[in-house]
Amino acid sequence: MRRPGRTTVPLFLAAAVLTVSGAGSAQAAGYRYWSFWEGDGGTGWTYATQGPSLVRPDDGTVWGFRFSVSEDSQDSAQPRRAPDFSTICAGTPPKGGTERIALVIDPGTAADAPEGERPPALRTACARVAPGSSAAEALASVATPLRYDSSAMLCAISDYPRTGCGEQVAGASGASGGPADGAAPSGDPVSAQGSDGSGGGPSAGVLTGVGAVLLLGVAAVLRARRSR
């Protein structure tokens, strides 16, 4: 019988690691939730690094909310309307002692919707609020009812969706697409929209599986050397 050579074992290891990693990727799960965005001053959006109750927007800024299914902040879908303050607040003139905050509220697509629900139309609003108000207060002034869970996570805007709150969706991989929210989401959130806005890494299951394969490979190498 031909004994395992130096090339056979490394190739086996490489194939096994790729198989385990691929399986983890195929089973990746996403979350269905409202993400929070900041207009970048031009025509694009930047994923917010703080939740809406923590942000105190300046007068003349634009903030967006987008409902979608995504795995993390790197694939989260942006609002599908440009952050154009002058257009959104064109019918709301300046007024002393108040601030104007433009909002884009995008409920997403049918692919993002929970079973049995249909997303309402995208809309924009110009919130007139007291100086120092939070983005959450601006949203509440133009889009009721809002629904939060016991941890203050934003679950629904204008009663959409009717049920659910940041639930996991198995096998999802950015259903809406988006720019290239970390792991579990939150609408006020520092779990999905944390201080660094970072995305998630490999799952613990995948890393454990890779570690086990490597240990088996090492054992195979030792056995092959002893049998020579």
Side-chain angles (χ1 to χ4, degrees):
M1 181 183 295
R2 183 171 176 263
R3 294 174 180 173
R6 294 185 179 180
T7 304
T8 306
V9 173
L11 286 177
F12 162 76
L13 283 176
V17 170
L18 288 173
T19 299
V20 173
S21 300
S25 249
Q27 296 173 1
Y31 296 86
R32 181 182 285 120
Y33 67 104
W34 284 98
S35 56
F36 182 44
W37 300 81
E38 178 180 6
D40 64 6
T43 59
W45 294 97
T46 300
Y47 196 85
T49 58
Q50 292 182 306
S53 70
L54 301 177
V55 172
R56 307 288 167 178
D58 293 326
D59 179 80
T61 56
V62 187
W63 296 84
F65 295 83
R66 172 67 193 265
F67 189 75
S68 67
V69 175
S70 63
E71 291 178 31
D72 53 45
S73 61
Q74 299 307 305
D75 77 342
S76 188
Q78 296 180 355
R80 296 169 296 165
R81 182 69 58 85
D84 186 345
F85 177 84
S86 60
T87 298
I88 296 172
C89 287
T92 308
K95 182 179 179 180
T98 66
E99 294 181 341
R100 293 178 301 160
I101 310 300
L103 300 172
V104 175
I105 304 168
D106 185 352
T109 68
D112 300 312
E115 185 176 357
E117 296 202 50
R118 184 170 183 168
L122 180 154
R123 73 185 185 95
T124 62
C126 187
R128 190 192 295 279
V129 295
S133 296
S134 68
E137 290 171 320
L139 177 66
S141 73
V142 298
T144 55
L146 304 180
R147 177 166 57 86
Y148 291 87
D149 71 1
S150 59
S151 62
M153 175 175 168
L154 178 61
C155 303
I157 297 176
S158 297
D159 206 30
Y160 180 77
R162 293 189 301 273
T163 61
C165 193
E167 64 273 18
Q168 191 173 37
V169 181
S173 182
S176 300
D181 152 18
S186 173
D188 186 5
V190 182
S191 52
Q193 293 177 218
S195 59
D196 61 355
S198 59
S203 69
V206 171
L207 294 177
T208 301
V210 171
V213 169
L214 290 176
L215 287 175
L216 289 172
V218 170
V221 171
L222 293 174
R223 284 197 303 270
R225 287 179 177 172
R226 291 194 194 102
S227 63
R228 288 195 187 113

